């Protein structure tokens, strides 16, 4: 009976092919096996074991099976010796030891068993074995006997129930520090559809001897009655049960608290009918199904929660068709349900095993052995592409166990056929391997999100995903992998800070998904929200209530959008071009935000490997404005909607989020840079482009495309590096086309390098001129002074004349021109220069054009003559 940890290459563990002689008790964490016979030795030493021996467990593996897993992780098991005596044992997951609890000297079948946290009391529900029942079938007697045993040391036995119906038992495990002998609470669940709670006090006698106080009058309380289905959540000490009504079923939840009280927390209507499906219990011990072949004939119902305040009810009705299977998931924390219909492929592929629902934290796995495996995203179930759907044709299905399983709290899974207990988890290496191998876009999307959500080492996973993106940059048709990675990874980097992040920050770049997934049909319906029956909430209940309040009152999505940042950024850039700018304090605050983000990013970079890509080497004011504006708007957005969270914490979250976003862009570029072994000399123009530079230029273009449509900031220096690579890699007409369409954005740093590094050959002159005429005026004036060429002088002259004549008022015409002041007899030019000279002579004009580096009418005249001679080829 091994307890093993999950698979090397699948989502949950494969039982393996171990023979019964290999069965050993292991901890639920999959630690090294204990020596066989430990439990047998404990049984021999514990007393009340006639004929017990050290090897009793060694010889009875086939009869050994798990009865229960308590809240503290301890496993209760049972086995029989060759005389039919029933032994109860406990495996302590802390000490890794087996302990004998009790022995019944009679051949009995155990229905249920539980031990209290102090290990002073054992509750067991038993029925006579098949052989004994045949002997006594004519004698009247009780079918089921429920006993309470004093086991510290073994003392008295009290009969709690002796009835003709089955009874299940379960001790409560409150999380409190108490004195050694507290009052124990025991739940009794009867097949007659009621649940009682027994309050049991124990006292010490004769030193260490523990006995039940007032064993003849144990107080009891009725917890629930007239139910048809019930589920026990051991980890959270919650009881879910169904109260059947005429047209629908009502799901109710009782919370057992640390003060040993219990409270009805909510009532939730379910559009399912269970009144005719018989009586069923979930997670009240590890009972084996008597007729597993009839599983598809009965409905399956499970309730799953997690720490984020989610509440999911998974339901599979009995199978009416061998061609398709239908199941529903009620996402109460989202306000809707989804009904999935999965085609089974062949009409002859009969379903002989039932559906298994497994709780995997942010996901619910839905598994039909041999047919399909679905991994449903319960945190973001809006789009079907965020969940994974594998059919029986997938190799993964063959790797998973083909026997029905049962899910317990804490991701424990019991294989009913083998009796093995597993810890199920999502295997990161296999998820990454699957991401590399799949060709379907919806599987890529689902795997990308699943890997980020369930990853234990974010830096490693991000590096692996970036490697995949760099190799598959053009392999996705239905979504942009760069966009999806940047948005999802930035979101998950701060998601643990508060449970409301899924409502306030975007987690996906995809807003709608209209592509059908073969073999799956989906129907989404709104559902009635649970009615909370209490008014003060803590921990999980506070988060669930917040989710329900959001569904009730916040139908419009509150996700942060960059539309406000886009408008404000364009406004600031427009003001800069016209020479106007709003208050210096406002702009300074925005730039200070950017400085904090970049400083935070550079501080984190110092810890990791130094970057090779030459970013952050310049003051890119436009990108700094964009970073600062995003920080400002995002902070205001979170402050409006995150009530009760400190302002400093929100500011730090925004800083981390913005830094993470820039860091991911840097990582993508850095990975490509290292892969192609580029060096800093790529920034110089005196060399030809290589294939590596073409590859990096392509990656940068895809990054720019991804961020532009989402209006996300880029690291300062990105546009400079992109433009320089573009000059290297593109023919002139393509380069100019990229510039004119905004793919390449000219920066002062990039153009300065171009002017300084390139000589004045005919080809380079054409390139320089084409670049200079496309520069904004405030940059063009600076750049032209670096280029000692007639074309540069011509451009400078044109800008100078444009400024002088902007407000020029024409004076009365005079035919008299003093020719003595001109060296060339070219009347139109002479008249024009005279006009410029007159304008420059005014004090107002001189004041307006101070600092123009000796650009005057004389300079304009010389530039005009040189340009004319150049055009005439003189």
């Amino acid at each position: 009976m091994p307890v093993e940890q999950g698979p090397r290459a699948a989502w949950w563990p494969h039982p393996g092919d171990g023979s019964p002689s290999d069965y050993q008790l292991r901890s639920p964490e999959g630690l090294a096996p204990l020596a066989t016979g430990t439990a047998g030795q404990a049984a021999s030493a514990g007393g009340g074991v006639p004929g017990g021996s050290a090897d009793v467990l060694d010889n009875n593996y086939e009869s050994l099976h798990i009865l229960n897993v308590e809240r503290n992780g301890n496993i209760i098991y049972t086995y029989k010796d060759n005389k039919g005596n029933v032994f109860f044992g406990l495996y302590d997951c802390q000490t890794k030891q087996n302990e004998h609890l009790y022995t019944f000297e009679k051949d009995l079948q155990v229905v249920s068993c539980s031990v209290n946290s102090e290990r002073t009391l054992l509750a067991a529900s038993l029925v006579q074995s098949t052989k004994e029942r045949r002997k006594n079938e004519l004698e009247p007697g009780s079918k089921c006997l429920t006993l309470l045993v004093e086991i510290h040391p073994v003392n008295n036995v009290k009969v709690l129930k002796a009835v003709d119906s089955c009874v299940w038992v379960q001790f409560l495990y409150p999380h409190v520090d108490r004195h050694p002998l507290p009052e124990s609470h025991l739940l009794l669940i009867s097949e007659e559809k009621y649940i009682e709670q027994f309050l049991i006090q124990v006292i010490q006698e004769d030193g260490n001897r523990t006995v039940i106080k007032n064993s003849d009058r144990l107080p009891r309380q009725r917890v629930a009655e007239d139910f048809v289905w019930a589920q026990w959540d051991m980890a959270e000490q919650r009881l879910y049960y169904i109260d059947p009504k005429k047209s629908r079923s009502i799901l109710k939840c009782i919370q057992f608290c640390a003060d040993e009280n219990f409270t009805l927390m909510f009532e939730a209507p379910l559009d399912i009918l269970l009144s005719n499906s018989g009586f069923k219990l979930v997670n009240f011990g590890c009972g084996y199904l008597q007729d597993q072949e009839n599983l598809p004939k009965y409905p399956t119902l499970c309730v799953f929660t997690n720490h984020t305040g989610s509440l999911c009810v998974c339901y599979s009705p009995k199978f009416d068709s061998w061609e398709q299977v239908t199941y529903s998931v009620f996402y109460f924390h989202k306000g809707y349900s989804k009904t999935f219909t999965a085609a089974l492929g062949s009409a002859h592929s009969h379903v002989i095993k039932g559906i298994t629902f497994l709780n995997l934290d942010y996901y619910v796995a839905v598994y039909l052995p041999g047919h399909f495996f679905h991994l449903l995203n319960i945190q973001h179930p809006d789009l079907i592409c965020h969940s994974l759907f594998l059919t029986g044709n997938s190799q993964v299905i063959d790797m998973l166990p083909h026997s029905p399983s049962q899910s317990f709290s804490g991701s424990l899974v019991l294989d009913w056929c083998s009796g093995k207990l597993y810890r199920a988890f999502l295997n990161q290496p296999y998820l990454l391997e699957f991401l590399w191998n799949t060709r379907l876009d919806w599987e890529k999307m689902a795997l990308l999100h699943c890997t980020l959500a369930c990853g234990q080492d974010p830096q490693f996973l991000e590096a692996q995903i970036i490697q995949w993106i760099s190799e598959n940059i053009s392999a996705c048709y239905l979504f942009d992998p760069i966009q999806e990675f940047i948005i999802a990874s930035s979101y998950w980097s701060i998601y643990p800070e508060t449970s409301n992040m899924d409502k306030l920050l975007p987690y996906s770049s995809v807003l709608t998904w209209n592509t059908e997934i073969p073999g799956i049909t989906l129907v989404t319906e709104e559902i009635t929200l649970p009615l909370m029956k209490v008014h003060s909430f803590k921990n999980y209940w506070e988060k669930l209530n917040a989710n329900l309040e959001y569904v009730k009152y916040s139908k419009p999505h509150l996700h942060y959008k960059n539309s406000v940042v886009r408008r404000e950024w364009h406004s600031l850039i427009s003001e800069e071009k016209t020479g106007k700018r709003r208050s210096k304090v406002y702009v300074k605050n925005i730039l200070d935000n950017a400085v904090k983000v970049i400083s935070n990013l550079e501080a984190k970079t110092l810890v990791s490997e130094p970057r090779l890509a030459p970013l952050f080497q310049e003051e890119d004011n436009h990108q700094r404005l964009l970073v600062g504006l995003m920080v400002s708007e995002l902070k205001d957005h979170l402050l409006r909607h995150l009530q009760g969270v400190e302002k400093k914490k929100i500011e730090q979250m925004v800083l981390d989020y913005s830094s993470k976003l820039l860091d991911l862009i840097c990582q993508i570029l850095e990975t490509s840079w290292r892969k192609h072994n580029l060096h800093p000399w790529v920034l110089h123009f005196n060399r030809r482009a290589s294939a590596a530079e073409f590859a990096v230029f392509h990656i940068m273009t895809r990054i720019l495309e991804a961020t532009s449509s989402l209006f996300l900031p880029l690291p300062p220096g990105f546009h400079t590096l992109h433009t320089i690579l573009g000059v290297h890699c593109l023919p002139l007409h393509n380069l100019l086309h990229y510039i004119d369409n905004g793919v390449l954005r000219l920066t002062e740093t990039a153009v300065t390098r171009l002017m300084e590094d390139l000589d004045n050959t005919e080809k380079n002159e054409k390139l320089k001129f084409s670049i200079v005429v496309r520069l904004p005026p405030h940059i063009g004036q600076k750049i032209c002074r670096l280029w000692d060429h007639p074309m540069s002088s011509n451009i400078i002259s044109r800008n100078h004349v444009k400024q002088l004549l902007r407000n020029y008022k024409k004076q009365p015409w005079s035919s008299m021109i003093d020719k003595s002041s001109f060296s060339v007899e070219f009347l139109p030019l002479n008249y024009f220069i005279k006009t410029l000279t007159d304008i420059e002579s005014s004090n107002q004009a001189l004041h307006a054009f101070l600092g123009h580096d000796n650009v005057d009418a004389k300079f304009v005249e010389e530039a005009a003559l040189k340009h004319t001679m150049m055009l005439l080829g003189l």
Side-chain angles (χ1 to χ4, degrees):
M1 189 274 301
V3 179
E4 300 176 350
Q5 192 167 1
R8 292 183 295 273
W11 284 277
W12 92 40
H14 191 64
D17 301 316
S19 63
S21 61
D22 294 326
Y23 289 0
Q24 296 173 331
L25 289 174
R26 302 185 184 181
S27 73
E29 289 74 29
L31 298 177
L34 300 172
T36 58
T38 307
Q41 294 167 0
S44 178
V49 190
S53 63
D55 62 348
V56 63
L57 181 59
D58 289 326
N59 300 324
N60 289 276
Y61 285 114
E62 294 182 1
S63 67
L64 184 143
H65 65 269
I66 299 171
L67 292 175
N68 204 352
V69 181
E70 302 288 8
R71 185 180 194 179
N72 54 16
N74 293 344
I75 302 171
I76 304 175
Y77 56 90
T78 184
Y79 57 93
K80 295 181 180 181
D81 62 10
N82 51 13
K83 298 180 181 180
N85 297 323
V86 180
F87 295 82
F88 289 84
L90 180 143
Y91 175 78
D92 191 321
C93 67
Q94 298 296 324
T95 63
K96 316 297 187 296
Q97 296 293 322
N98 294 296
E99 175 184 340
H100 173 249
L101 296 177
Y102 196 75
T103 301
F104 285 97
E105 300 178 24
K106 195 172 184 180
D107 192 1
L108 300 170
Q109 182 176 345
V110 182
V111 175
S112 176
C113 180
S114 183
V115 66
N116 64 349
S117 57
E118 294 78 25
R119 303 185 198 174
T120 57
L121 299 174
L122 174 72
S125 185
L126 311 108
V127 296
Q128 288 181 325
S129 67
T130 305
K131 294 180 180 179
E132 292 293 329
R133 270 182 277 173
R134 287 173 181 170
K135 294 178 182 179
N136 304 322
E137 59 185 3
L138 299 178
E139 297 180 13
S142 301
K143 173 184 176 182
C144 183
L145 189 66
T146 304
L147 304 177
L148 182 63
V149 183
E150 299 169 352
I151 58 171
H152 190 66
V154 174
N155 297 309
N156 299 318
V157 176
K158 175 178 174 55
V159 177
L160 294 179
K161 291 284 182 181
V163 292
D164 290 332
S165 56
C166 285
V167 175
W168 290 260
V169 290
Q170 178 61 61
F171 275 104
L172 301 184
Y173 276 67
H175 265 329
V176 290
D177 295 327
R178 286 180 170 269
H179 50 82
L181 297 174
E183 184 178 58
S184 295
H185 289 225
L186 176 67
L187 295 181
L188 262 69
I189 304 90
S190 173
E191 197 175 17
E192 296 178 352
K193 302 181 181 179
Y194 67 84
I195 299 177
E196 290 182 322
Q197 179 181 205
F198 282 77
L199 282 64
I200 307 163
Q201 288 186 334
V202 293
I203 56 176
Q204 281 187 330
E205 291 183 354
D206 301 331
N208 293 327
R209 184 182 176 189
T210 302
V211 296
I212 301 173
K213 181 181 179 181
N214 299 326
S215 60
D216 295 333
R217 296 187 304 274
L218 294 179
R220 68 179 70 179
Q221 298 171 294
R222 185 62 62 96
V223 176
E225 56 188 354
D226 297 330
F227 63 92
V228 294
W229 172 94
Q231 175 180 318
W232 177 242
D233 186 340
M234 174 59 77
E236 303 299 337
Q237 299 288 280
R238 297 177 194 142
L239 172 68
Y240 301 95
Y241 64 97
I242 296 289
D243 184 4
K245 298 299 182 182
K246 291 183 179 179
S247 59
R248 56 170 48 178
S249 300
I250 304 297
L251 174 67
K252 298 182 180 181
C253 176
I254 289 177
Q255 175 72 70
F256 292 89
C257 306
D259 59 4
E260 299 172 346
N261 293 322
F262 62 89
T263 306
L264 178 63
M265 299 303 298
F266 70 78
E267 295 181 353
L270 290 173
D271 290 326
I272 58 177
L273 194 60
L274 291 179
S275 57
N276 298 325
S277 61
F279 178 80
K280 187 173 182 181
L281 298 179
V282 179
N283 289 358
F284 282 97
C286 305
Y288 293 85
L289 295 184
Q290 299 298 315
D291 190 3
Q292 295 179 11
E293 293 186 358
N294 290 326
L295 275 173
K297 298 181 181 179
Y298 299 98
T300 301
L301 182 69
C302 296
V303 179
F304 293 137
T305 62
N306 74 4
H307 62 281
T308 65
S310 67
L311 175 62
C312 288
V313 178
C314 304
Y315 171 70
S316 174
K318 62 181 180 180
F319 300 159
D320 296 325
S321 170
W322 299 119
E323 298 180 359
Q324 61 184 23
V325 172
T326 298
Y327 65 89
S328 300
V329 180
F330 297 82
Y331 301 94
F332 281 107
H333 58 292
K334 296 293 184 180
Y336 53 77
S337 68
K338 290 182 178 291
T339 300
F340 301 89
T341 301
L344 298 182
S346 173
H348 302 288
S349 57
H350 287 188
V351 178
I352 60 173
K353 297 157 187 171
I355 280 183
T356 297
F357 295 103
L358 297 178
N359 187 9
L360 300 176
D361 200 11
Y362 295 114
Y363 288 83
V364 166
V366 186
Y367 176 53
L368 185 62
H371 293 278
F372 63 75
F373 179 88
H374 298 169
L375 198 60
L376 305 182
N377 190 327
I378 62 172
Q379 212 60 30
H380 307 125
D382 308 68
L383 301 181
I384 193 172
C385 59
H386 290 149
S387 299
L388 186 66
F389 300 90
L390 303 177
T391 64
N393 298 325
S394 172
Q395 294 181 354
V396 178
I397 302 298
D398 296 330
M399 300 171 63
L400 297 171
H402 283 217
S403 56
S405 303
Q406 180 179 352
S407 176
F408 292 96
S409 302
S411 301
L412 283 177
V413 182
L414 175 68
D415 186 319
W416 280 327
C417 292
S418 67
K420 296 181 181 181
L421 189 66
Y422 303 96
R423 173 98 42 201
F425 66 99
L426 294 169
N427 187 293
Q428 290 179 199
Y430 188 79
L431 289 173
L432 290 170
E433 180 184 348
F434 196 1
L435 180 63
W436 277 91
N437 294 333
T438 184
R439 296 183 178 180
L440 303 175
D441 277 9
W442 52 83
E443 290 184 352
K444 294 174 186 175
M445 172 81 84
L447 289 163
L448 179 64
H449 281 272
C450 185
T451 303
L452 292 172
C454 303
Q456 302 298 320
D457 187 353
Q459 291 183 347
F460 170 77
L461 291 176
E462 288 170 358
Q464 295 297 311
I465 294 174
I466 289 173
Q467 187 67 36
W468 171 77
I469 290 175
S470 66
E471 297 288 343
N472 298 270
I473 191 68
S474 301
C476 299
Y477 302 98
L478 301 178
F479 72 100
D480 187 322
I482 295 179
Q483 282 187 346
E484 199 66 16
F485 171 66
I486 291 175
I487 293 297
S489 188
S490 300
Y491 164 81
W492 282 107
S493 68
I494 65 168
Y495 177 80
E497 299 293 334
T498 172
S499 61
N500 292 320
M501 279 299 149
D502 60 330
K503 307 175 187 64
L504 303 178
L505 285 179
Y507 50 82
S508 174
S509 64
V510 177
L511 300 179
T512 58
W513 185 276
N514 299 321
T515 304
E516 294 184 359
I517 296 178
I520 295 291
T521 58
L522 172 63
V523 177
T524 302
E525 297 177 322
E526 289 191 4
I527 57 177
T528 304
L529 297 180
L531 174 63
M532 303 303 294
K533 307 297 280 186
V534 295
H535 301 288
S536 60
F537 305 99
K538 294 181 180 180
N539 303 323
Y540 166 81
W541 298 111
E542 182 179 8
K543 295 177 181 178
L544 174 61
N545 188 62
N547 288 332
L548 298 178
E549 293 295 310
Y550 172 77
V551 174
K552 288 179 186 176
Y553 304 113
S554 302
K555 285 293 183 182
H557 288 297
L558 298 179
H559 284 164
Y560 165 79
K561 297 180 180 64
N562 271 339
S563 54
V564 176
V565 175
R566 185 194 299 267
R567 292 194 300 268
E568 187 67 7
W569 187 78
H570 283 303
S571 176
L572 287 173
I573 298 303
S574 177
E575 292 172 2
E576 181 184 82
K577 291 178 179 179
T578 58
K580 300 177 182 179
R581 180 62 70 88
R582 61 191 74 182
S583 70
K584 293 183 178 179
V585 176
Y586 174 76
V587 177
K588 183 179 183 299
N589 288 336
I590 292 175
L591 293 176
D592 286 346
N593 289 337
V595 170
K596 293 177 182 177
V597 171
I598 294 173
S599 299
N600 189 42
L601 177 57
E602 290 177 338
K604 293 179 179 179
T605 304
L606 292 175
V607 180
S608 59
E609 188 177 3
R611 288 185 173 135
L612 295 179
L615 298 177
F616 303 101
Q617 302 297 317
E618 62 179 279
E619 290 287 331
D620 190 338
N621 286 331
H622 286 184
Q623 289 305 309
R624 287 176 181 266
L625 278 175
L626 186 52
V627 173
L629 281 171
M630 189 182 75
V631 171
S632 178
E633 292 298 331
L634 183 56
K635 182 169 62 177
D636 292 344
H637 176 76
L638 295 184
L639 285 172
R640 280 194 301 271
H641 301 293
L642 278 182
Q643 303 298 327
V645 182
E646 294 181 358
K647 183 178 179 180
K648 288 185 177 179
K649 183 177 180 180
I650 290 178
E651 290 176 348
Q652 187 61 46
M653 287 165 53
V654 171
L655 183 63
D656 292 339
Y657 181 84
S658 305
S659 302
K660 183 67 175 181
L661 193 147
L662 288 179
D663 180 55
L664 292 171
I665 296 172
C666 292
Q667 285 187 51
I668 296 173
L669 180 56
E670 184 70 16
T671 298
S672 182
W673 196 275
R674 291 181 182 275
K675 174 185 175 182
H676 297 287
N677 198 28
L678 289 188
H679 299 279
W681 58 65
V682 72
L683 296 177
H684 299 287
F685 291 96
N686 55 358
R687 50 187 302 276
R688 298 187 63 179
S690 63
E693 290 176 27
F694 274 97
V696 175
F697 175 75
H698 178 62
I699 286 285
M700 294 190 73
T701 303
R702 292 299 300 267
I703 293 173
L704 182 65
E705 180 184 356
T707 55
S708 296
S709 59
L710 297 176
F711 209 72
L712 299 176
L714 289 164
F718 182 93
H719 288 302
T720 293
L721 183 58
H722 192 209
T723 300
I724 291 175
L725 287 174
V727 173
H728 279 312
C729 300
L730 299 176
L732 180 59
H733 63 282
N734 285 351
L735 175 69
L736 299 180
H737 180 72
Y738 273 48
I739 294 173
D740 294 339
N741 286 277
V743 178
L744 292 176
R745 301 180 188 180
L746 298 175
T747 65
E748 184 176 342
T749 304
V751 180
T752 298
R753 285 183 175 274
L754 185 145
M755 295 298 169
E756 293 176 345
D757 290 358
L758 291 181
D759 56 21
N760 288 329
T761 61
E762 182 178 353
K763 180 180 178 181
N764 289 342
E765 283 181 351
K766 188 175 182 180
L767 169 62
K768 288 182 179 181
F769 177 72
S770 301
I771 296 293
V772 169
V773 297
R774 285 169 168 79
L775 291 174
H778 65 283
I779 297 179
Q781 291 179 12
K782 298 178 183 178
I783 298 301
C784 286
R785 288 166 177 76
L786 302 175
W787 186 20
D788 185 15
H789 190 270
M791 290 302 303
S792 177
S793 300
N794 182 38
I795 294 171
I796 295 172
S797 300
R798 288 173 184 271
N799 290 333
H800 180 73
V801 170
K802 183 179 178 180
Q803 293 289 343
L804 285 178
L805 297 180
R806 175 173 293 175
N807 298 315
Y808 171 65
K809 293 182 180 180
K810 186 177 181 181
Q811 300 299 322
W813 180 79
S814 174
S815 61
M816 299 300 294
I817 297 179
D818 184 7
K819 296 182 181 180
S820 62
S821 60
F822 298 97
S823 58
V824 179
E825 254 194 60
F826 185 16
L827 291 180
L829 179 61
N830 292 347
Y831 180 81
F832 182 63
I833 298 303
K834 175 66 171 60
T835 302
L836 294 181
T837 304
D838 291 342
I839 296 174
E840 289 176 352
S841 64
S842 66
N843 292 333
Q844 183 178 0
L846 287 175
H847 177 75
F849 294 103
L850 284 176
H852 270 232
D853 296 339
N854 299 321
V855 180
D856 54 13
K858 183 66 176 175
F859 181 88
V860 173
E861 180 185 18
E862 293 176 356
L865 291 173
K866 288 181 180 179
H867 186 58
T868 303
M869 294 174 67
M870 186 180 70
L871 291 176
L872 296 175
L874 299 176

